[in-house]
Amino acid sequence: MIEKRNFYIDGAWVAPAKSSDHDVIDPSTEEVCAIISLGDHADTNAAVAAASAALPAWSATDPAKRADYVRGILAQYEARAEEMAKAISLEMGAPIDMSRADQAPCLPWHLENFLTAFDHIEWIKPLGPHAPNDRIALEPIGVVGLITPWNWPMNQVTLKVIPALLAGCTIVLKPSEESPLSSLLFAEFVHDAGVPAGVFNLVNGDGMGVGSQLSRHEDVAMISFTGSTRAGKAISLAAAETLKRVTLELGGKGANVIFADADDKAVKRGVIHCMNNSGQSCNAPTRMLVERSIYDQAVETAAEIANGIAVGPASEPGRHIGPVVNRRQWDQIQTMIQVGIDEGARLVAGGPGLPEGMNRGYYVRPTVFADVNNQMRIAREEIFGPVLSIIPFDTEEEAIAIANDTAYGLTNYVQSQDGARRNRMARALKAGMIEMNGKSRGAGAPFGGMKMSGRAREGGVWGIEEFLEVKAISGWAAE
């Protein structure tokens, strides 16, 4: 049993002001694997006060020195990468090989990309030759509250904490109470890297508690949140009281448009991508739109691939998906699978209940529905599990209309060998990110969406600029 009852505030591990314990459940076994404490107002206020006190010195620290501290965090990760992979696997159910290869390495990947982008930040620059005595200055926004989710814990912590540090902000992090162990380990990295006291603070808590308190706190200048659209709306309303900046990275219902001329691995690639991380990714391509001339074959292939995906404990090595994070999530997914059946979609793989041979753990059968129309709930609501809906289309225009007919706008995908068509689709699809023919976005590309997916832009130069204020100065003296 792991016990993590202290918070990291003002450079030290401190006991919470008031004890309120929370069980962290291993989703592979349904057993308690850790006990943490949840913070209250006093803890939140202490963390914000520490961040406020540290802000003047940290914001005035030379940018190159801030970058050196960030490199120190990277060195700590490299020395303890296996610990990070095991923590993530235990707390949220990512299979250990996937955690080692994909989940934990999010930290060095994003951190190094931010350092590269940081070299291109101009802190004071001329407005233009027409205004020789005008300057544009970039300055840290101040104390920031960072609220991160459980599904890709270190991905989101890194995408928020590192650019905030580089920008010169001071931080209060509230990780998800479902996956706090990796963030507590990250706090150790920050401490051992020598980041000055008060610059980074961590308070565990839930959304209604610490999350709401940070959103309303008058000394917090900005909230950066990743999670559900419902929670994003609540945070926006709470933050409006103090007119703080709010950046939101929310849900998705990605369309994967597969044309008849797509490569022969397109369907397989789409199914595997949808099921990756047990479907617990906001950018998962959960709606597969297939041109009618290849539709029957695509359905057959998708069913075959899904039926071949193994499901097993997170602790076991191998190529399989693990459980979903908790009972509540499992119940919601089961409800939506039954909704799909009741709506008349054709179940071609998976279905309700635990996978064969399992009687405990929050495991979901990789599920594929065919003959879905875009008005069904399974096509409109984010299920956040390994559930794929396949929808036929006849023309490019119809595919665009179906893909865009959603409240969300995070990531869409296009599979076609026709370059001109791909370019048209990329411009027509209403999403913050478009990925085509299995090509991932390049290093430093911004992650974020449109519409109900929020409008954050995390990663690269954009991710750092989210934590900066822009100041216009006239009458600048020549130097």
Side-chain angles (χ1 to χ4, degrees), residues 106 203 290 295 315 327 411 464:
C106 288
V203 177
V290 181
Y295 178 76
S315 59
R327 169 64 64 180
T411 314
I464 299 171

Side-chain angles (χ1 to χ4, degrees), residues 340-383:
I341 294 170
D342 295 342
E343 287 180 318
R346 177 160 55 102
L347 184 67
V348 297
L354 289 167
E356 186 176 353
M358 293 181 168
N359 58 14
R360 65 183 312 187
Y362 306 127
Y363 301 100
V364 177
R365 300 168 66 191
T367 296
V368 177
F369 285 104
D371 303 346
V372 177
N373 69 64
N374 208 47
Q375 302 313 308
M376 292 180 178
R377 285 181 62 191
I378 58 172
R380 304 201 72 81
E381 299 179 21
E382 186 179 39
I383 300 173

Side-chain angles (χ1 to χ4, degrees), residues 49-129:
S52 297
L55 180 63
W58 181 248
S59 62
T61 299
D62 184 84
K65 180 62 175 176
R66 296 200 296 262
D68 285 341
Y69 282 116
V70 167
R71 291 187 186 94
I73 295 172
L74 176 60
Q76 292 299 317
Y77 167 82
E78 290 172 341
R80 303 177 69 180
E82 180 66 7
E83 286 182 66
M84 181 60 75
K86 288 180 176 178
I88 295 171
S89 182
L90 176 66
E91 68 189 359
M92 57 74 60
I96 186 59
D97 285 353
M98 184 259 192
S99 190
R100 289 171 177 143
D102 299 321
Q103 285 270 8
C106 288
L107 189 156
W109 168 256
H110 291 308
L111 188 152
E112 290 169 350
N113 290 338
F114 278 127
L115 287 173
T116 298
F118 194 59
D119 289 339
H120 299 285
I121 299 289
E122 292 185 74
W123 297 96
I124 299 180
K125 61 184 178 181
L127 175 62

Side-chain angles (χ1 to χ4, degrees), residues 390-438:
I390 307 181
I391 303 171
F393 70 88
D394 291 300
T395 66
E396 180 178 322
E397 292 73 20
E398 184 186 11
I400 293 168
I402 295 171
N404 287 341
D405 181 21
T406 174
Y408 297 103
L410 189 58
T411 314
N412 285 332
Y413 303 81
V414 179
Q415 321 298 326
S416 172
Q417 299 305 303
D418 184 334
R421 171 190 278 157
R422 290 201 308 274
N423 292 350
R424 290 193 303 271
M425 294 291 293
R427 296 305 302 273
L429 294 172
K430 301 302 181 185
M433 298 172 285
I434 309 295
E435 297 185 10
M436 301 189 283
N437 287 357

Side-chain angles (χ1 to χ4, degrees), residues 427-468:
R427 296 305 302 273
L429 294 172
K430 301 302 181 185
M433 298 172 285
I434 309 295
E435 297 185 10
M436 301 189 283
N437 287 357
K439 302 295 184 184
S440 298
R441 293 168 298 111
F447 188 102
M450 303 176 180
K451 302 191 286 186
M452 290 298 220
S453 293
R455 288 173 172 81
R457 290 296 180 269
E458 297 185 323
V461 172
W462 295 271
I464 299 171
E465 289 178 344
E466 286 203 326
F467 293 94
L468 294 171

Side-chain angles (χ1 to χ4, degrees), residues 231-245:
K233 291 178 181 179
I235 286 170
S236 296
L237 289 170
E241 296 178 10
T242 51
L243 295 178
K244 56 173 54 66
R245 183 182 297 176

